[in-house]
Amino acid sequence: MIRCRHPLGDTGDDAYRHEECGVFGVYGHDDAAAHTALGLHGLQHRGQEACGIVTYDGDHFHSHRALGTVGDNFGSQEVIARLPGAMSIGHVRYSTSGETVLRNVQPLFADFKFGGLAIAHNGNLTNAYAVRKSLVDKGCIFQSTSDTETIIHLIAKSEYSPVVDRMIDALRQVEGAYSLVALTREKLIGVRDPYGIRPLILGRMGDTYILSSESCTLNILGAEFVRDVDPGEIIVIDKKGLRSIKPFQKAPSRFCIFEYIYFARPDSLMEGKNVYEVRKQIGAELARECPVEADMVIPVPDSGVPAALGYANQSGIPFEIGIIRSHYMGRTFIEPSDQIRHLGVRLKHNANSGLIKGKRLILVDDSIVRGTTSTKIVEMMRNAGAREVHMRISSPPTDHSCFYGIDTPSQQELLAAQNNIEEMAKLIGVDSLAYISFDGLYRAVAGEDRNSEAPQFCDACFTGEYPVRLTDQEDSPGPQQLSLLAEQE
Ligand code: AMP
């Protein structure tokens, strides 16, 4: 969770929730809800904390939203049967600490004078507090602490008439990162913010259209990949077919480079590139830039696997599975307190001791955030008898928080923001630590060096260069409080 700031004072964890998410939409299939549930399964890595589906059956909207995973909540035929209709949208949500409450779980739904509208959002708005404050001053009553609700109120207040025009009017007033899917009585709508920070793709299965955060969901459904939704594009699907609108002022495309490094599923295609291949190329570049003599290359599972393969192929050092991961445990970040997070790393990973004893290891991971995972894993390798432990990271040091939808702690908690590489190596307990360079990363992902005048991606978590203004941060230093209601339900 990213804590935005607000002058009303510190209210603790739940002042304002920001989270990583996945969105999915189906138009024109009798089993829209079942297909959406399958799609959300494929996006589960983007959010495991809560999920929801809203359908429209020609007469009524139907909604089921709950805390927990897609399997927990949409695994039974009985639940799916309560979501009839040929149009549907869904959402998975992931935040890190504090309690999660149902009123923040998406898709959000509202009755407008033009009818109902459901909306699901991946990304973070960076002026949500400022907009919300002015709406509250004008008498708007907010139900949740989600930034997405700001869009709902802006749509309600718009003086335009067709729903798409109202959405355009609303979105022109917000800043930040958003990939949205929305459902009205007639339309499935998909939107990507002008910088295209978060992903959104279009798929097709006969006459059925699909919108999804990632393309891996299409394979699950047997659907075909059509294309990425363009930055700043609105896709409107209704009985007349598919329409594309580009109503926003053109902005330079700044897709999130961290989707390639860590967040997306490796079997997804993003902006024309297979994520797995990109990660392998990053690993190969890392091996060229940061070689070290060793007996084996070991990935920190699962996110470090493709980069470690690339490193091993390039260096000629054997790739080995030296850490076994329990698949029955969620991501480490999901645990709210530090103490549990520390324990969690041990539950999640175990050393393959027979392999490691007496060996010189290269551990490859995608990133170091707080340093919890690496510290524990290195300790585990030493306890298992490793002779040398070298760590190689397939991204530059993460020394800035993300405000666009990737969950990162505050800068104070980021190991790389507080220490240089030598200090980090000491803290983590490795014999050597090295990160891929910016240019190396860009060469691997984009085939060319980073263009410092106009970077090809959003890389703010590594550079502090934020492509979209952080209005709430600039205007309101201090933690935010958006509701007096305790975050419990
Ligand atoms: P830490 O233990 O805090 O250093 O976190 C680093 C580990 O968390 C790495 O193994 C990453 O694969 C993973 N990671 C990196 N960024 C995130 C994120 N935004 N959410 C969840 N896990 C992450």
Side-chain angles (χ1 to χ4, degrees):
M1 182 175 85
I2 294 157
R3 258 151 253 167
C4 282
R5 303 185 179 278
H6 173 251
L8 294 180
D10 190 351
T11 62
D13 263 342
D14 288 316
Y16 198 178
R17 302 197 150 270
H18 289 263
E19 58 278 315
E20 300 169 342
C21 303
V23 296
F24 196 83
V26 172
Y27 181 92
H29 198 293
D30 287 344
D31 274 334
H35 282 74
T36 303
L38 288 173
L40 293 181
H41 258 294
L43 298 176
Q44 189 76 86
H45 60 288
R46 298 184 75 87
Q48 298 119 41
E49 197 182 66
C51 51
I53 295 179
V54 173
T55 62
Y56 182 65
D57 67 2
D59 289 318
H60 298 102
F61 285 90
H62 304 269
S63 158
H64 183 64
R65 302 180 306 147
L67 304 183
T69 62
V70 182
D72 289 344
N73 292 296
F74 292 99
S76 82
Q77 194 44 46
E78 199 196 321
V79 174
I80 299 294
R82 280 192 261 127
L83 296 165
M87 298 157 74
S88 171
I89 62 168
H91 189 260
V92 287
R93 174 176 187 269
Y94 174 43
S95 81
T96 52
S97 56
E99 283 148 342
T100 304
V101 290
L102 207 47
R103 69 196 173 112
N104 281 337
V105 177
Q106 298 193 22
L108 298 184
F109 176 83
D111 273 317
F112 297 86
K113 67 178 177 195
F114 58 82
L117 180 131
I119 194 163
H121 172 200
N122 171 211
N124 283 328
L125 303 183
T126 51
N127 68 340
Y129 177 71
V131 175
R132 182 181 176 118
K133 193 166 179 301
S134 86
L135 288 168
V136 170
D137 286 346
K138 290 180 195 132
C140 286
I141 298 165
F142 277 75
Q143 298 292 317
S144 75
T145 52
S146 156
D147 55 349
T148 313
E149 198 184 341
T150 315
I151 300 173
I152 298 247
H153 285 276
L154 290 172
I155 294 173
K157 287 189 81 67
S158 173
E159 283 167 11
Y160 287 84
S161 181
V163 64
V164 177
D165 288 0
R166 282 173 172 267
M167 268 185 94
I168 294 169
D169 184 34
L171 293 172
R172 283 199 173 127
Q173 297 170 65
V174 300
E175 296 165 359
Y178 51 87
S179 281
L180 305 172
V181 292
L183 189 67
T184 71
R185 287 182 299 193
E186 283 111 27
K187 299 178 199 312
L188 172 67
I189 303 167
V191 191
R192 221 169 145 204
D193 71 72
Y195 291 84
I197 295 176
R198 302 258 71 84
L200 188 65
I201 62 104
L202 175 69
R204 201 167 176 168
M205 206 170 42
D207 292 337
T208 302
Y209 283 103
I210 289 162
L211 291 167
S212 173
S213 291
E214 293 190 34
S215 67
C216 61
T217 56
L218 301 178
N219 308 115
I220 298 170
L221 297 177
E224 64 178 292
F225 175 78
V226 177
R227 63 177 176 86
D228 291 276
V229 175
D230 285 338
E233 183 179 13
I234 300 185
I235 297 245
V236 182
I237 302 161
D238 58 20
K239 62 174 190 278
K240 287 185 259 164
L242 183 146
R243 191 157 53 104
S244 159
I245 315 166
K246 293 195 173 159
F248 307 114
Q249 206 181 353
K250 203 166 162 34
S253 168
R254 298 294 294 273
F255 182 59
C256 166
I257 203 163
F258 202 63
E259 292 273 356
Y260 284 121
I261 293 166
Y262 167 80
F263 200 40
R265 240 172 73 156
D267 49 342
S268 281
L269 201 64
M270 291 204 153
E271 308 268 297
K273 296 176 212 295
N274 171 244
V275 173
Y276 176 77
E277 273 308 318
V278 170
R279 285 183 192 163
K280 267 176 74 181
Q281 279 171 36
I282 300 174
E285 190 64 39
L286 185 62
R288 279 189 284 270
E289 287 189 347
C290 317
V292 58
E293 265 188 44
D295 301 309
M296 57 184 75
V297 177
I298 292 179
V300 176
D302 290 328
S303 50
V305 172
L309 262 175
Y311 193 104
N313 290 346
Q314 177 64 35
S315 62
I317 302 171
F319 173 92
E320 295 284 2
I321 303 291
I323 302 165
I324 307 302
R325 161 155 185 218
S326 161
H327 285 269
Y328 305 100
M329 165 94 196
R331 288 181 172 183
T332 345
F333 265 53
I334 217 151
E335 296 301 345
S337 79
D338 262 2
Q339 199 193 353
I340 303 291
R341 201 165 23 241
H342 278 266
L343 253 183
V345 176
R346 267 189 239 143
L347 269 181
K348 194 169 154 185
H349 297 119
N350 194 29
N352 188 358
S353 309
L355 178 80
I356 285 163
K357 200 165 186 310
K359 299 292 194 318
R360 298 167 303 167
L361 317 179
I362 302 173
L363 295 180
V364 178
D365 202 356
D366 60 88
S367 56
I368 296 175
V369 182
R370 296 180 178 90
T372 318
T373 310
S374 2
T375 310
K376 291 285 156 199
I377 279 178
V378 171
E379 189 190 329
M380 209 181 274
M381 298 294 108
R382 299 257 188 231
N383 290 343
R387 183 145 62 93
E388 287 173 26
V389 184
H390 304 275
M391 186 125 204
R392 296 293 178 269
I393 304 295
S394 65
S395 63
T398 305
D399 49 13
H400 288 81
S401 297
C402 175
F403 295 95
Y404 305 131
I406 294 284
D407 161 46
T408 32
S410 71
Q411 238 188 331
Q412 287 73 19
E413 293 171 80
L414 292 173
L415 201 68
Q418 306 301 329
N419 301 278
N420 63 32
I421 293 185
E422 227 168 85
E423 290 163 342
M424 287 175 76
K426 237 186 232 149
L427 287 168
I428 291 169
V430 285
D431 297 286
S432 79
L433 170 67
Y435 285 84
I436 195 165
S437 69
F438 282 112
D439 283 338
L441 174 66
Y442 270 75
R443 274 196 301 276
V445 182
E448 57 186 15
D449 285 1
R450 182 176 189 269
N451 177 350
S452 54
E453 299 299 309
Q456 301 89 318
F457 295 98
C458 175
D459 53 18
C461 52
F462 309 126
T463 58
E465 290 173 30
Y466 293 93
V468 185
R469 241 192 100 186
L470 304 179
T471 301
D472 289 339
Q473 298 290 307
E474 290 160 13
D475 294 354
S476 313
Q480 286 185 332
Q481 180 183 17
L482 292 179
S483 170
L484 295 175
L485 198 65
E487 291 278 334
Q488 285 167 3
E489 267 174 19

